[in-house]
Amino acid sequence: AAFKQSPQMAINQLFLLDGLYNEAKAAKLDQESPYKEQMEAFIRQFLAQSYVNDRNNRIVPTPPEEEAYYEKNKERWETAAISVIQVNFSTSATPPAPAAGAKPLLTEAQAKTKAEGLVKQIRAGGDFAALAKANSDDKDSADQGGKYATMRKADKFAEEIKKAVFSLKQGEVSDPIRQNGYFFILKVTEKNVQPFKDVREQIFNQLKQERFGVWMQELNKRYQVKIEKPEFFK
């Protein structure tokens, strides 16, 4: 980057650095305090970090190890296609008056009763898509019969939502789940597992991280100390 900006300035800096280095060596600054100790400290830190980096780079999981890890941990890569009915409620003690032509906002108790009633209808054989179109306050998904998204376990949804979704079997409907200002009713329409090729890079990095972590733990154990006189440090 420096050479692209100004070749002459970059070359000048190289010669300046080289010249200052040679003059410092001639003046034997590398043998004087505090420069000698600073250099030693820098070299120690640099080599220690280089050794850690080198060990990490040498950890290379093999394709058979990646596939075995995938087969053993398939549940991590489950996906669930979900549909939703959203029932909004007012978070204030007295719901505000609705805008012209809009539905009045329910209280939390009213919204919960409505959501529980919808769940009963669905579990009794009611059409989820039709009920979503007629009742959901999330217009975008309501227009599609409640169709919402395909969720992965790594996605950034509320933990309560993910826990409910991945505990359901395909075709099942959740109890109403309260969030801030609304209740969710969730239906899992399809469950799958991401194919190995889509998650292979994740597995490679996960295996590297796990093995490096084990190595670091073992290394730290070798250098644990026992302080016999804590009063010294006061």
Side-chain angles (χ1 to χ4, degrees), residues 72-83:
K72 185 179 179 181
N73 299 279
K74 268 188 175 180
E75 72 281 355
R76 293 190 186 184
W77 295 286
E78 283 184 355
T79 64
I82 57 174
S83 292

Side-chain angles (χ1 to χ4, degrees), residues 207-222:
L207 284 170
K208 271 185 72 78
Q209 184 178 345
E210 288 178 3
R211 292 175 186 178
F212 180 72
V214 169
W215 179 75
M216 283 298 299
Q217 285 179 354
E218 292 173 350
L219 190 66
N220 282 318
K221 284 179 184 177
R222 287 162 52 186

Side-chain angles (χ1 to χ4, degrees), residues 41-58 212 215-216 219:
F42 174 80
I43 290 170
R44 284 162 61 89
Q45 179 67 34
F46 176 78
L47 285 177
Q49 187 59 55
S50 297
Y51 181 64
V52 169
N53 294 342
D54 183 69
R55 285 300 298 256
N56 187 38
N57 291 337
R58 290 174 186 270
F212 180 72
W215 179 75
M216 283 298 299
L219 190 66

Side-chain angles (χ1 to χ4, degrees), residues 17-33:
L17 179 64
D18 195 48
L20 289 172
Y21 169 78
N22 289 324
E23 290 184 25
K25 290 284 285 184
K28 298 185 178 180
L29 289 184
D30 56 330
Q31 299 174 31
E32 293 183 13
S33 295

